[in-house]
Amino acid sequence: MNDMIYAYGHVFIYRSQIDELLMSEYLDNNHVDTFGIFLVEKSQMCPGLYLPFLFVSSFHWGYKAFNADTKKFVSHINKESVNAANLILVPIIESSHWTLLVGNLKNKVWDFYDSLPKKTHRAILPEVISHLYEDTTTSFATDIRRWRIRKIKQVPTQKNSVDCGIYVCKYMEAVIQPEAVVWADVKDWEDNMAKFRAEFAYAILSTTIK
């Protein structure tokens, strides 16, 4: 416990996980959820900075495999919060690969972001959506399982096997911007991966400063 750097609800970041960030290693659920929590906190501190959004913990899907109680991860999703939001961010970890599912609550469509595009990565989406629907059934005005799923093209993609988590973090940060992203113009992510990781590590470490 002495090595713990950050704790928020079910999320814990230890010194070793800071090292993983800085040494360009694989990100786990705690990393991705921490990034999502930071986005939520920034949106609350600076209203209007981002489009209104809801964040779904990556543990919601991850814990399903263990037949655990997953409703606690979506207790903040209700009719009021859904009506007030434009987007719902659903990071997914499956077979050691991170992808991002984004629900457009106004247009009733799902957008899928994959930094290492494969058809097999998309195959799990109906199950992810169904699980979310089962735990939040009365929150949505329509059946989210029937929404169309669009694969977003021309997004930045990774060149290695370990950066998928940081790509998902950057996708989340990009899609909630007030101005729509022109993905064809985003070409520098790969060159800036070390910088992105360092900025994230700094943000985590900054939470320890009182």
Side-chain angles (χ1 to χ4, degrees), residues 18-133:
I18 296 294
D19 293 340
E20 289 166 356
L21 260 179
L22 295 175
M23 297 176 68
S24 298
E25 295 183 11
Y26 182 80
L27 270 60
D28 65 18
N29 298 70
N30 290 284
H31 290 115
V32 173
D33 271 26
T34 296
F35 196 93
I37 290 166
F38 286 177
L39 291 178
V40 171
E41 290 179 341
K42 287 171 68 176
S43 71
Q44 293 171 343
M45 289 187 294
C46 304
L49 179 65
Y50 302 132
L51 294 173
F53 71 93
L54 294 169
F55 174 73
V56 176
S57 167
S58 62
F59 287 100
H60 181 255
W61 172 249
Y63 273 31
K64 182 179 184 297
F66 303 103
N67 295 316
D69 176 20
T70 55
K71 288 187 177 181
K72 60 185 178 182
F73 298 116
V74 290
S75 60
H76 61 297
I77 297 179
N78 50 53
K79 288 181 179 179
E80 291 73 21
S81 63
V82 167
N83 287 336
N86 287 31
L87 304 170
I88 181 167
L89 309 180
V90 187
I92 304 165
I93 177 66
E94 182 70 22
S95 301
S96 300
H97 179 65
W98 284 101
T99 57
L100 177 66
L101 189 63
V102 178
N104 188 312
L105 298 168
K106 306 306 180 185
N107 296 333
K108 298 178 176 55
V109 65
W110 293 103
D111 291 335
F112 181 58
Y113 298 82
D114 187 357
S115 61
L116 197 63
K118 291 182 180 180
K119 290 183 179 179
T120 52
H121 296 160
R122 182 170 173 165
I124 198 68
L125 298 184
E127 291 185 51
V128 173
I129 296 168
S130 291
H131 180 51
L132 179 61
Y133 179 79

Side-chain angles (χ1 to χ4, degrees), residues 144-180:
I144 61 175
R145 298 171 299 180
R146 298 182 180 276
W147 294 2
R148 182 165 60 98
I149 301 174
R150 303 184 300 191
K151 180 182 180 298
I152 303 303
K153 300 178 181 179
Q154 296 185 306
V155 298
T157 54
Q158 65 192 86
K159 300 297 189 293
N160 58 33
S161 61
V162 297
D163 279 338
C164 51
I166 202 74
Y167 270 85
V168 161
C169 292
K170 297 302 291 183
Y171 290 152
M172 290 194 294
E173 184 178 48
V175 299
I176 61 176
Q177 299 299 323
E179 296 295 326

